[in-house]
Amino acid sequence: MAVRVEREGAVQVLTMDRPERRNAFDGAMTQALDAALNEFEDDDSVRAAVLTGGPDFFSAGTDIRVWAGEPTERGGPYGIAKRRLGKPLIAAVEGAAVGGGFEIALASTMIVASRTAYFSFPETGLGLVAECGGLFRAPRALPLNVAREMLLTGEQLPAQRAYDLGLVNRLTEPGAAVAEALAIAERIAGHAPIAVRETLRAVEAAYPANDDRRWIDTATAKEGARASADAAEGVAAFLAKRPPRWSGR
C-alpha cells in the first residue's frame, strides 16, 4: 500500500509509504492518498486525522521520473491539493517536506514538525513552478517576502524558523511529530463535531485557499514554465545529476 491507514479511536493516521523514493508521488500514490482521504471524510465516526511520511521524511513531492498522475475528482493534485477538507487534517513532518511535499503540508489544516524537519520549493531550479497550491498558500502561511524567497531561490526553511514564523503549530524532538499531532487530533476529536466542522468551514471561507482565480493563475504559470526549453533541460539535468544549462527559452 502506498498509503497506510491506521485507527486510533476517533482519529485516523495516514502514512505515505513509498520510502524507496522518499515518498515522492507517482500516479498510484496520488490515487492511494485520495482514497484514504475520501474514507476519512466519509466516515462520520472519524473526527480528525494525522498525515505523516514516517520517521525519516515527509515527502519529496512529485517523482519526476514518472510524474504524479492525474488530479483526482475530489482532491485534485496528489489527491489533496484542491480538497475542501471538512475535518481537521494535521501534517506530522519529520525530515524533508519539499516541492509537492511542502504543498501537501500546506494543504493540511495544521503542521507539526520535528526539529530535523525542513521545507523548500526547489521547482525553479528545475525550470518549473510550484504547481499545487504553493504559489498562493505559501504567501498566506508565511510573511510575503519569506514566501517569495523560498519560491524563487529554493532554499530550505528549517523547522525552528518555520515555527518562529508561525507556519508550524508545534515543534517537537526528532521522532515525536506523530505523537504530538495525535495529541492535537485527539483533543479536537473530543469536541463537538458539528462545531468543529462549522468553525473549520468559516475559517476556510475567510482565507479561501481553494479560490478558483488562484488556481487559474497557477495554471498559467505552470503552462508557461512547462512549455519552455528550460523545463526540459532542468528535468533532464536533475535526472542526469548534472548542472543545468539554461537557455532562457
Side-chain angles (χ1 to χ4, degrees):
M1 288 290 292
V3 176
R4 291 186 283 109
V5 180
E6 299 166 284
R7 185 77 177 258
E8 298 277 350
V11 176
Q12 279 186 342
V13 179
L14 315 180
T15 303
M16 297 176 283
D17 192 20
R18 197 174 178 233
E20 71 281 5
R21 297 297 298 166
R22 300 177 76 211
N23 294 334
F25 274 65
D26 59 4
M29 194 158 175
T30 291
Q31 292 297 321
L33 183 56
D34 182 71
L37 289 170
N38 290 346
E39 178 186 333
F40 159 58
E41 293 196 289
D42 295 343
D43 186 343
D44 289 340
S45 70
V46 182
R47 304 286 179 81
V50 172
L51 178 62
T52 178
D56 300 316
F57 31 74
F58 187 71
S59 174
T62 296
D63 185 341
I64 63 171
R65 301 178 311 162
V66 295
W67 302 96
E70 292 300 314
T72 65
E73 181 178 356
R74 288 177 63 174
Y78 306 125
I80 185 175
K82 293 181 94 170
R83 186 175 292 269
R84 298 180 186 272
L85 288 164
K87 303 177 189 179
L89 176 68
I90 302 170
V93 181
E94 301 273 358
V98 302
F102 187 15
E103 290 175 302
I104 288 167
L106 286 168
S108 302
T109 312
M110 303 179 205
I111 301 174
V112 173
S114 82
R115 295 184 185 278
T116 60
Y118 63 91
F119 306 87
S120 72
F121 289 117
E123 285 86 351
T124 56
L126 299 172
L128 303 171
V129 301
E131 300 176 355
C132 302
L135 294 180
F136 54 89
R137 283 193 173 110
R140 187 181 80 167
L142 290 162
L144 177 58
N145 277 3
V146 174
R148 283 174 173 152
E149 180 180 357
M150 292 190 71
L151 288 161
L152 294 174
T153 69
E155 290 183 0
Q156 297 176 3
L157 181 70
Q160 179 66 62
R161 187 162 187 240
Y163 175 74
D164 293 341
L165 291 169
L167 172 71
V168 168
N169 295 79
R170 303 279 178 88
L171 193 64
T172 75
E173 294 305 312
V178 169
E180 183 66 21
L182 265 172
I184 298 171
E186 287 167 355
R187 182 167 184 175
I188 293 169
H191 292 180
I194 293 175
V196 169
R197 182 188 68 205
E198 289 303 312
T199 296
L200 185 60
R201 181 197 59 77
V203 170
E204 293 306 312
Y207 299 93
N210 286 298
D211 182 84
D212 289 342
R213 177 72 252 171
R214 294 171 181 174
W215 283 107
I216 291 170
D217 291 341
T218 295
T220 300
K222 170 184 173 179
E223 290 164 10
R226 283 214 186 186
S228 70
D230 278 348
E233 166 61 15
V235 172
F238 177 83
L239 294 173
K241 298 181 179 179
R242 62 169 174 79
R245 296 183 287 270
W246 305 123
S247 65
R249 296 194 300 274

PDB file of all heavy atoms in Angstrom, residues 166-200:
ATOM      1  N   GLY A 166       5.433  31.043  12.435  1.00  0.00           N
ATOM      2  CA  GLY A 166       4.026  30.693  12.553  1.00  0.00           C
ATOM      3  C   GLY A 166       3.533  29.675  11.549  1.00  0.00           C
ATOM      4  O   GLY A 166       2.344  29.337  11.552  1.00  0.00           O
ATOM      5  N   LEU A 167       4.401  29.169  10.698  1.00  0.00           N
ATOM      6  CA  LEU A 167       3.990  28.130   9.747  1.00  0.00           C
ATOM      7  C   LEU A 167       3.716  26.820  10.472  1.00  0.00           C
ATOM      8  O   LEU A 167       2.744  26.119  10.184  1.00  0.00           O
ATOM      9  CB  LEU A 167       5.089  27.917   8.688  1.00  0.00           C
ATOM     10  CG  LEU A 167       4.887  26.729   7.749  1.00  0.00           C
ATOM     11  CD1 LEU A 167       3.746  27.004   6.781  1.00  0.00           C
ATOM     12  CD2 LEU A 167       6.167  26.421   6.972  1.00  0.00           C
ATOM     13  N   VAL A 168       4.580  26.466  11.403  1.00  0.00           N
ATOM     14  CA  VAL A 168       4.472  25.221  12.169  1.00  0.00           C
ATOM     15  C   VAL A 168       3.768  25.508  13.494  1.00  0.00           C
ATOM     16  O   VAL A 168       4.138  26.439  14.212  1.00  0.00           O
ATOM     17  CB  VAL A 168       5.876  24.628  12.415  1.00  0.00           C
ATOM     18  CG1 VAL A 168       5.834  23.507  13.442  1.00  0.00           C
ATOM     19  CG2 VAL A 168       6.461  24.121  11.092  1.00  0.00           C
ATOM     20  N   ASN A 169       2.754  24.694  13.804  1.00  0.00           N
ATOM     21  CA  ASN A 169       1.993  24.873  15.044  1.00  0.00           C
ATOM     22  C   ASN A 169       2.751  24.408  16.277  1.00  0.00           C
ATOM     23  O   ASN A 169       2.728  25.064  17.316  1.00  0.00           O
ATOM     24  CB  ASN A 169       0.669  24.107  14.970  1.00  0.00           C
ATOM     25  CG  ASN A 169      -0.246  24.650  13.911  1.00  0.00           C
ATOM     26  OD1 ASN A 169      -0.079  24.364  12.732  1.00  0.00           O
ATOM     27  ND2 ASN A 169      -1.216  25.439  14.306  1.00  0.00           N
ATOM     28  N   ARG A 170       3.374  23.234  16.175  1.00  0.00           N
ATOM     29  CA  ARG A 170       4.110  22.663  17.303  1.00  0.00           C
ATOM     30  C   ARG A 170       5.447  22.134  16.797  1.00  0.00           C
ATOM     31  O   ARG A 170       5.510  21.522  15.723  1.00  0.00           O
ATOM     32  CB  ARG A 170       3.339  21.504  17.944  1.00  0.00           C
ATOM     33  CG  ARG A 170       1.938  21.863  18.425  1.00  0.00           C
ATOM     34  CD  ARG A 170       1.930  22.534  19.767  1.00  0.00           C
ATOM     35  NE  ARG A 170       0.580  22.905  20.169  1.00  0.00           N
ATOM     36  CZ  ARG A 170      -0.260  22.111  20.827  1.00  0.00           C
ATOM     37  NH1 ARG A 170       0.130  20.883  21.158  1.00  0.00           N
ATOM     38  NH2 ARG A 170      -1.465  22.539  21.166  1.00  0.00           N
ATOM     39  N   LEU A 171       6.497  22.336  17.583  1.00  0.00           N
ATOM     40  CA  LEU A 171       7.838  21.852  17.264  1.00  0.00           C
ATOM     41  C   LEU A 171       8.192  20.775  18.277  1.00  0.00           C
ATOM     42  O   LEU A 171       8.019  20.969  19.485  1.00  0.00           O
ATOM     43  CB  LEU A 171       8.829  23.014  17.349  1.00  0.00           C
ATOM     44  CG  LEU A 171      10.229  22.803  16.765  1.00  0.00           C
ATOM     45  CD1 LEU A 171      10.167  22.583  15.274  1.00  0.00           C
ATOM     46  CD2 LEU A 171      11.100  24.018  17.101  1.00  0.00           C
ATOM     47  N   THR A 172       8.683  19.641  17.789  1.00  0.00           N
ATOM     48  CA  THR A 172       8.962  18.514  18.679  1.00  0.00           C
ATOM     49  C   THR A 172      10.402  18.045  18.532  1.00  0.00           C
ATOM     50  O   THR A 172      11.107  18.441  17.594  1.00  0.00           O
ATOM     51  CB  THR A 172       8.042  17.317  18.367  1.00  0.00           C
ATOM     52  OG1 THR A 172       8.489  16.667  17.158  1.00  0.00           O
ATOM     53  CG2 THR A 172       6.600  17.747  18.198  1.00  0.00           C
ATOM     54  N   GLU A 173      10.797  17.177  19.417  1.00  0.00           N
ATOM     55  CA  GLU A 173      12.072  16.493  19.258  1.00  0.00           C
ATOM     56  C   GLU A 173      11.955  15.488  18.113  1.00  0.00           C
ATOM     57  O   GLU A 173      10.844  15.068  17.755  1.00  0.00           O
ATOM     58  CB  GLU A 173      12.461  15.784  20.560  1.00  0.00           C
ATOM     59  CG  GLU A 173      12.739  16.740  21.711  1.00  0.00           C
ATOM     60  CD  GLU A 173      13.796  17.769  21.350  1.00  0.00           C
ATOM     61  OE1 GLU A 173      14.861  17.376  20.811  1.00  0.00           O
ATOM     62  OE2 GLU A 173      13.562  18.969  21.595  1.00  0.00           O
ATOM     63  N   PRO A 174      13.075  15.085  17.514  1.00  0.00           N
ATOM     64  CA  PRO A 174      13.021  14.109  16.408  1.00  0.00           C
ATOM     65  C   PRO A 174      12.279  12.843  16.806  1.00  0.00           C
ATOM     66  O   PRO A 174      12.462  12.318  17.909  1.00  0.00           O
ATOM     67  CB  PRO A 174      14.499  13.833  16.131  1.00  0.00           C
ATOM     68  CG  PRO A 174      15.204  15.076  16.553  1.00  0.00           C
ATOM     69  CD  PRO A 174      14.446  15.575  17.755  1.00  0.00           C
ATOM     70  N   GLY A 175      11.413  12.394  15.910  1.00  0.00           N
ATOM     71  CA  GLY A 175      10.654  11.177  16.145  1.00  0.00           C
ATOM     72  C   GLY A 175       9.350  11.368  16.887  1.00  0.00           C
ATOM     73  O   GLY A 175       8.585  10.414  17.047  1.00  0.00           O
ATOM     74  N   ALA A 176       9.066  12.592  17.333  1.00  0.00           N
ATOM     75  CA  ALA A 176       7.877  12.817  18.162  1.00  0.00           C
ATOM     76  C   ALA A 176       6.761  13.570  17.447  1.00  0.00           C
ATOM     77  O   ALA A 176       5.740  13.888  18.065  1.00  0.00           O
ATOM     78  CB  ALA A 176       8.273  13.579  19.427  1.00  0.00           C
ATOM     79  N   ALA A 177       6.921  13.855  16.153  1.00  0.00           N
ATOM     80  CA  ALA A 177       5.913  14.665  15.451  1.00  0.00           C
ATOM     81  C   ALA A 177       4.559  13.978  15.402  1.00  0.00           C
ATOM     82  O   ALA A 177       3.522  14.613  15.610  1.00  0.00           O
ATOM     83  CB  ALA A 177       6.396  15.017  14.049  1.00  0.00           C
ATOM     84  N   VAL A 178       4.526  12.682  15.119  1.00  0.00           N
ATOM     85  CA  VAL A 178       3.248  11.976  15.025  1.00  0.00           C
ATOM     86  C   VAL A 178       2.539  11.962  16.373  1.00  0.00           C
ATOM     87  O   VAL A 178       1.328  12.207  16.458  1.00  0.00           O
ATOM     88  CB  VAL A 178       3.440  10.546  14.493  1.00  0.00           C
ATOM     89  CG1 VAL A 178       2.160   9.728  14.643  1.00  0.00           C
ATOM     90  CG2 VAL A 178       3.839  10.576  13.023  1.00  0.00           C
ATOM     91  N   ALA A 179       3.270  11.690  17.439  1.00  0.00           N
ATOM     92  CA  ALA A 179       2.657  11.652  18.764  1.00  0.00           C
ATOM     93  C   ALA A 179       2.047  13.004  19.132  1.00  0.00           C
ATOM     94  O   ALA A 179       0.938  13.077  19.677  1.00  0.00           O
ATOM     95  CB  ALA A 179       3.686  11.229  19.809  1.00  0.00           C
ATOM     96  N   GLU A 180       2.752  14.090  18.817  1.00  0.00           N
ATOM     97  CA  GLU A 180       2.230  15.424  19.124  1.00  0.00           C
ATOM     98  C   GLU A 180       1.015  15.745  18.251  1.00  0.00           C
ATOM     99  O   GLU A 180       0.021  16.311  18.734  1.00  0.00           O
ATOM    100  CB  GLU A 180       3.312  16.478  18.917  1.00  0.00           C
ATOM    101  CG  GLU A 180       2.900  17.895  19.284  1.00  0.00           C
ATOM    102  CD  GLU A 180       2.638  18.076  20.776  1.00  0.00           C
ATOM    103  OE1 GLU A 180       3.124  17.267  21.591  1.00  0.00           O
ATOM    104  OE2 GLU A 180       1.934  19.048  21.122  1.00  0.00           O
ATOM    105  N   ALA A 181       1.084  15.376  16.965  1.00  0.00           N
ATOM    106  CA  ALA A 181      -0.062  15.594  16.074  1.00  0.00           C
ATOM    107  C   ALA A 181      -1.264  14.781  16.536  1.00  0.00           C
ATOM    108  O   ALA A 181      -2.408  15.261  16.490  1.00  0.00           O
ATOM    109  CB  ALA A 181       0.313  15.229  14.644  1.00  0.00           C
ATOM    110  N   LEU A 182      -1.025  13.561  16.989  1.00  0.00           N
ATOM    111  CA  LEU A 182      -2.110  12.730  17.517  1.00  0.00           C
ATOM    112  C   LEU A 182      -2.751  13.373  18.747  1.00  0.00           C
ATOM    113  O   LEU A 182      -3.978  13.343  18.900  1.00  0.00           O
ATOM    114  CB  LEU A 182      -1.585  11.343  17.881  1.00  0.00           C
ATOM    115  CG  LEU A 182      -1.725  10.245  16.826  1.00  0.00           C
ATOM    116  CD1 LEU A 182      -0.978   8.991  17.275  1.00  0.00           C
ATOM    117  CD2 LEU A 182      -3.196   9.932  16.556  1.00  0.00           C
ATOM    118  N   ALA A 183      -1.941  13.941  19.612  1.00  0.00           N
ATOM    119  CA  ALA A 183      -2.475  14.579  20.808  1.00  0.00           C
ATOM    120  C   ALA A 183      -3.414  15.729  20.432  1.00  0.00           C
ATOM    121  O   ALA A 183      -4.482  15.900  21.036  1.00  0.00           O
ATOM    122  CB  ALA A 183      -1.338  15.076  21.692  1.00  0.00           C
ATOM    123  N   ILE A 184      -3.015  16.529  19.426  1.00  0.00           N
ATOM    124  CA  ILE A 184      -3.877  17.622  18.969  1.00  0.00           C
ATOM    125  C   ILE A 184      -5.148  17.062  18.348  1.00  0.00           C
ATOM    126  O   ILE A 184      -6.263  17.523  18.630  1.00  0.00           O
ATOM    127  CB  ILE A 184      -3.137  18.515  17.963  1.00  0.00           C
ATOM    128  CG1 ILE A 184      -1.911  19.171  18.602  1.00  0.00           C
ATOM    129  CG2 ILE A 184      -4.075  19.582  17.396  1.00  0.00           C
ATOM    130  CD1 ILE A 184      -1.023  19.900  17.605  1.00  0.00           C
ATOM    131  N   ALA A 185      -4.994  16.057  17.474  1.00  0.00           N
ATOM    132  CA  ALA A 185      -6.149  15.469  16.801  1.00  0.00           C
ATOM    133  C   ALA A 185      -7.126  14.864  17.797  1.00  0.00           C
ATOM    134  O   ALA A 185      -8.352  14.997  17.657  1.00  0.00           O
ATOM    135  CB  ALA A 185      -5.679  14.414  15.801  1.00  0.00           C
ATOM    136  N   GLU A 186      -6.614  14.193  18.823  1.00  0.00           N
ATOM    137  CA  GLU A 186      -7.484  13.584  19.829  1.00  0.00           C
ATOM    138  C   GLU A 186      -8.222  14.641  20.644  1.00  0.00           C
ATOM    139  O   GLU A 186      -9.388  14.450  21.013  1.00  0.00           O
ATOM    140  CB  GLU A 186      -6.658  12.670  20.724  1.00  0.00           C
ATOM    141  CG  GLU A 186      -6.248  11.375  20.016  1.00  0.00           C
ATOM    142  CD  GLU A 186      -5.173  10.604  20.759  1.00  0.00           C
ATOM    143  OE1 GLU A 186      -4.658  11.117  21.784  1.00  0.00           O
ATOM    144  OE2 GLU A 186      -4.846   9.486  20.308  1.00  0.00           O
ATOM    145  N   ARG A 187      -7.553  15.753  20.894  1.00  0.00           N
ATOM    146  CA  ARG A 187      -8.242  16.826  21.615  1.00  0.00           C
ATOM    147  C   ARG A 187      -9.378  17.388  20.766  1.00  0.00           C
ATOM    148  O   ARG A 187     -10.485  17.626  21.260  1.00  0.00           O
ATOM    149  CB  ARG A 187      -7.252  17.925  21.979  1.00  0.00           C
ATOM    150  CG  ARG A 187      -7.891  19.042  22.774  1.00  0.00           C
ATOM    151  CD  ARG A 187      -6.873  19.961  23.398  1.00  0.00           C
ATOM    152  NE  ARG A 187      -7.525  20.960  24.236  1.00  0.00           N
ATOM    153  CZ  ARG A 187      -6.883  21.843  24.979  1.00  0.00           C
ATOM    154  NH1 ARG A 187      -5.557  21.848  24.998  1.00  0.00           N
ATOM    155  NH2 ARG A 187      -7.538  22.723  25.711  1.00  0.00           N
ATOM    156  N   ILE A 188      -9.114  17.593  19.476  1.00  0.00           N
ATOM    157  CA  ILE A 188     -10.162  18.072  18.570  1.00  0.00           C
ATOM    158  C   ILE A 188     -11.296  17.058  18.495  1.00  0.00           C
ATOM    159  O   ILE A 188     -12.482  17.414  18.515  1.00  0.00           O
ATOM    160  CB  ILE A 188      -9.581  18.345  17.173  1.00  0.00           C
ATOM    161  CG1 ILE A 188      -8.608  19.523  17.213  1.00  0.00           C
ATOM    162  CG2 ILE A 188     -10.708  18.623  16.170  1.00  0.00           C
ATOM    163  CD1 ILE A 188      -7.800  19.694  15.941  1.00  0.00           C
ATOM    164  N   ALA A 189     -10.945  15.769  18.394  1.00  0.00           N
ATOM    165  CA  ALA A 189     -11.947  14.712  18.266  1.00  0.00           C
ATOM    166  C   ALA A 189     -12.858  14.638  19.478  1.00  0.00           C
ATOM    167  O   ALA A 189     -13.982  14.124  19.389  1.00  0.00           O
ATOM    168  CB  ALA A 189     -11.260  13.366  18.041  1.00  0.00           C
ATOM    169  N   GLY A 190     -12.413  15.154  20.617  1.00  0.00           N
ATOM    170  CA  GLY A 190     -13.233  15.157  21.810  1.00  0.00           C
ATOM    171  C   GLY A 190     -14.216  16.309  21.879  1.00  0.00           C
ATOM    172  O   GLY A 190     -15.033  16.375  22.800  1.00  0.00           O
ATOM    173  N   HIS A 191     -14.160  17.209  20.903  1.00  0.00           N
ATOM    174  CA  HIS A 191     -15.070  18.349  20.870  1.00  0.00           C
ATOM    175  C   HIS A 191     -16.259  18.040  19.954  1.00  0.00           C
ATOM    176  O   HIS A 191     -16.254  17.067  19.204  1.00  0.00           O
ATOM    177  CB  HIS A 191     -14.331  19.596  20.401  1.00  0.00           C
ATOM    178  CG  HIS A 191     -13.308  20.077  21.388  1.00  0.00           C
ATOM    179  ND1 HIS A 191     -12.521  21.177  21.167  1.00  0.00           N
ATOM    180  CD2 HIS A 191     -12.954  19.617  22.613  1.00  0.00           C
ATOM    181  CE1 HIS A 191     -11.723  21.366  22.205  1.00  0.00           C
ATOM    182  NE2 HIS A 191     -11.968  20.424  23.091  1.00  0.00           N
ATOM    183  N   ALA A 192     -17.262  18.905  20.000  1.00  0.00           N
ATOM    184  CA  ALA A 192     -18.494  18.682  19.236  1.00  0.00           C
ATOM    185  C   ALA A 192     -18.203  18.693  17.735  1.00  0.00           C
ATOM    186  O   ALA A 192     -17.681  19.693  17.217  1.00  0.00           O
ATOM    187  CB  ALA A 192     -19.525  19.749  19.586  1.00  0.00           C
ATOM    188  N   PRO A 193     -18.508  17.604  17.008  1.00  0.00           N
ATOM    189  CA  PRO A 193     -18.126  17.516  15.595  1.00  0.00           C
ATOM    190  C   PRO A 193     -18.752  18.576  14.703  1.00  0.00           C
ATOM    191  O   PRO A 193     -18.098  19.078  13.786  1.00  0.00           O
ATOM    192  CB  PRO A 193     -18.574  16.106  15.191  1.00  0.00           C
ATOM    193  CG  PRO A 193     -19.562  15.685  16.224  1.00  0.00           C
ATOM    194  CD  PRO A 193     -19.164  16.368  17.482  1.00  0.00           C
ATOM    195  N   ILE A 194     -20.000  18.951  14.956  1.00  0.00           N
ATOM    196  CA  ILE A 194     -20.624  19.978  14.123  1.00  0.00           C
ATOM    197  C   ILE A 194     -19.963  21.326  14.364  1.00  0.00           C
ATOM    198  O   ILE A 194     -19.687  22.085  13.423  1.00  0.00           O
ATOM    199  CB  ILE A 194     -22.141  20.046  14.377  1.00  0.00           C
ATOM    200  CG1 ILE A 194     -22.807  18.754  13.879  1.00  0.00           C
ATOM    201  CG2 ILE A 194     -22.749  21.260  13.669  1.00  0.00           C
ATOM    202  CD1 ILE A 194     -24.283  18.660  14.195  1.00  0.00           C
ATOM    203  N   ALA A 195     -19.660  21.631  15.621  1.00  0.00           N
ATOM    204  CA  ALA A 195     -18.989  22.900  15.932  1.00  0.00           C
ATOM    205  C   ALA A 195     -17.610  22.957  15.292  1.00  0.00           C
ATOM    206  O   ALA A 195     -17.192  23.996  14.765  1.00  0.00           O
ATOM    207  CB  ALA A 195     -18.888  23.081  17.443  1.00  0.00           C
ATOM    208  N   VAL A 196     -16.875  21.834  15.324  1.00  0.00           N
ATOM    209  CA  VAL A 196     -15.557  21.774  14.686  1.00  0.00           C
ATOM    210  C   VAL A 196     -15.690  21.986  13.184  1.00  0.00           C
ATOM    211  O   VAL A 196     -14.954  22.778  12.578  1.00  0.00           O
ATOM    212  CB  VAL A 196     -14.870  20.428  14.993  1.00  0.00           C
ATOM    213  CG1 VAL A 196     -13.631  20.242  14.118  1.00  0.00           C
ATOM    214  CG2 VAL A 196     -14.486  20.354  16.469  1.00  0.00           C
ATOM    215  N   ARG A 197     -16.648  21.281  12.580  1.00  0.00           N
ATOM    216  CA  ARG A 197     -16.831  21.397  11.132  1.00  0.00           C
ATOM    217  C   ARG A 197     -17.185  22.819  10.730  1.00  0.00           C
ATOM    218  O   ARG A 197     -16.634  23.365   9.759  1.00  0.00           O
ATOM    219  CB  ARG A 197     -17.942  20.437  10.691  1.00  0.00           C
ATOM    220  CG  ARG A 197     -18.196  20.434   9.180  1.00  0.00           C
ATOM    221  CD  ARG A 197     -19.429  19.624   8.844  1.00  0.00           C
ATOM    222  NE  ARG A 197     -20.633  20.288   9.338  1.00  0.00           N
ATOM    223  CZ  ARG A 197     -21.766  19.647   9.629  1.00  0.00           C
ATOM    224  NH1 ARG A 197     -21.845  18.333   9.521  1.00  0.00           N
ATOM    225  NH2 ARG A 197     -22.821  20.331  10.048  1.00  0.00           N
ATOM    226  N   GLU A 198     -18.114  23.450  11.458  1.00  0.00           N
ATOM    227  CA  GLU A 198     -18.540  24.792  11.092  1.00  0.00           C
ATOM    228  C   GLU A 198     -17.452  25.822  11.346  1.00  0.00           C
ATOM    229  O   GLU A 198     -17.306  26.791  10.585  1.00  0.00           O
ATOM    230  CB  GLU A 198     -19.817  25.154  11.853  1.00  0.00           C
ATOM    231  CG  GLU A 198     -21.046  24.389  11.390  1.00  0.00           C
ATOM    232  CD  GLU A 198     -21.325  24.580   9.909  1.00  0.00           C
ATOM    233  OE1 GLU A 198     -21.320  25.738   9.439  1.00  0.00           O
ATOM    234  OE2 GLU A 198     -21.520  23.568   9.214  1.00  0.00           O
ATOM    235  N   THR A 199     -16.672  25.622  12.388  1.00  0.00           N
ATOM    236  CA  THR A 199     -15.533  26.509  12.638  1.00  0.00           C
ATOM    237  C   THR A 199     -14.529  26.422  11.507  1.00  0.00           C
ATOM    238  O   THR A 199     -14.050  27.446  10.987  1.00  0.00           O
ATOM    239  CB  THR A 199     -14.864  26.147  13.979  1.00  0.00           C
ATOM    240  OG1 THR A 199     -15.784  26.379  15.041  1.00  0.00           O
ATOM    241  CG2 THR A 199     -13.607  26.986  14.208  1.00  0.00           C
ATOM    242  N   LEU A 200     -14.191  25.192  11.104  1.00  0.00           N
ATOM    243  CA  LEU A 200     -13.237  24.998  10.013  1.00  0.00           C
ATOM    244  C   LEU A 200     -13.776  25.593   8.716  1.00  0.00           C
ATOM    245  O   LEU A 200     -13.039  26.258   7.974  1.00  0.00           O
ATOM    246  CB  LEU A 200     -12.950  23.504   9.847  1.00  0.00           C
ATOM    247  CG  LEU A 200     -11.880  23.116   8.832  1.00  0.00           C
ATOM    248  CD1 LEU A 200     -10.537  23.741   9.191  1.00  0.00           C
ATOM    249  CD2 LEU A 200     -11.747  21.594   8.774  1.00  0.00           C
TER     250      LEU A 200
END
